[in-house]
Amino acid sequence: MRRVVTGHDTSGKSIIVEDGTPPRRHDFASFPGFSSTVAWSTDADVPLEQGGTDPTPALSTLLPSAGQTRLIVLTLPPDSSMAEPTFDGPGYAAEQLRHSPGLAETFEADGMHTTPTIDYTLVLDGVVTLELDNGVTTDLHPGDLVVQNATRHGWRNRTERPVTVAFVLIGTEQKD
């Protein structure tokens, strides 16, 4: 993935401050074909960085608090690859905890999860299935958009090719 970041020079003119691969990308050794890229994040309490400084390396959690956002791009290999001898379940769980702190802890053993966020999910490539906790499934294709309102769900790749999905997680205030 190529990421172009804009900002401003000292006179206030628009400039490109970064053009390249996001530094917070991880290709999982324990789950070949699975990759996660934290492309950008915002924080409600920090003013806009005029220089375009990358906030992602300093993130301690991928789960945004109220007013924060995270842009995460995932490539998901086919679900069938979890049955391959190269799949290392315990290693995958450990890598998730190390490279997706905060978010990894929300996942159940079957991949279902609930995050306290509103997510805008855009399918970039391939076909992915959204599964809800009531058993309803919906196949999504490139260009399809899901607005996920903090519901329990899972993402399934029931095809034989990788799928790439972009997620914008928006932290929200929790109701009591």
Side-chain angles (χ1 to χ4, degrees), residues 52-89:
T53 302
D54 187 351
T56 61
L59 291 176
S60 62
T61 178
L62 298 194
L63 201 58
S65 297
Q68 296 180 331
T69 66
R70 304 289 187 266
L71 172 56
I72 301 169
V73 179
L74 295 179
T75 298
L76 308 170
D79 288 356
S80 61
S81 61
M82 290 183 198
E84 297 291 326
T86 55
F87 179 68
D88 172 8

Side-chain angles (χ1 to χ4, degrees), residues 6-175:
T6 64
H8 299 90
D9 65 15
T10 55
S11 66
K13 294 288 185 187
S14 300
I15 60 170
I16 292 175
V17 296
E18 189 175 329
D19 184 347
T21 304
R24 196 158 181 164
R25 175 187 165 87
H26 182 70
D27 294 318
F28 283 66
S30 59
F31 192 6
F34 186 91
S35 70
S36 175
T37 302
V38 181
W40 201 254
S41 69
T42 61
D43 192 329
D45 299 331
V46 178
L48 178 66
E49 170 57 53
Q50 296 297 316
T53 302
D54 187 351
T56 61
L59 291 176
S60 62
T61 178
L62 298 194
L63 201 58
S65 297
Q68 296 180 331
T69 66
R70 304 289 187 266
L71 172 56
I72 301 169
V73 179
L74 295 179
T75 298
L76 308 170
D79 288 356
S80 61
S81 61
M82 290 183 198
E84 297 291 326
T86 55
F87 179 68
D88 172 8
Y92 174 64
E95 278 186 90
Q96 279 284 23
L97 288 169
R98 188 169 51 257
H99 294 283
S100 301
L103 191 57
E105 291 84 352
T106 68
F107 281 83
E108 301 165 31
D110 64 356
M112 296 294 282
H113 60 287
T114 307
T115 56
T117 58
I118 295 173
D119 303 344
Y120 302 153
T121 303
L122 181 63
V123 179
L124 301 175
D125 186 47
V127 177
V128 68
T129 301
L130 169 63
E131 178 182 350
L132 300 179
D133 64 4
N134 65 359
V136 170
T137 62
T138 302
D139 290 338
L140 303 161
H141 299 85
D144 288 348
L145 173 70
V146 176
V147 178
Q148 186 74 22
N149 287 298
T151 55
R152 186 170 173 264
H153 65 285
W155 298 102
R156 313 292 183 213
N157 181 356
R158 296 181 173 148
T159 72
E160 292 306 313
R161 60 180 290 251
V163 62
T164 303
V165 185
F167 301 88
V168 177
L169 284 68
I170 304 165
T172 60
E173 292 289 337
Q174 298 303 300
K175 294 178 102 176

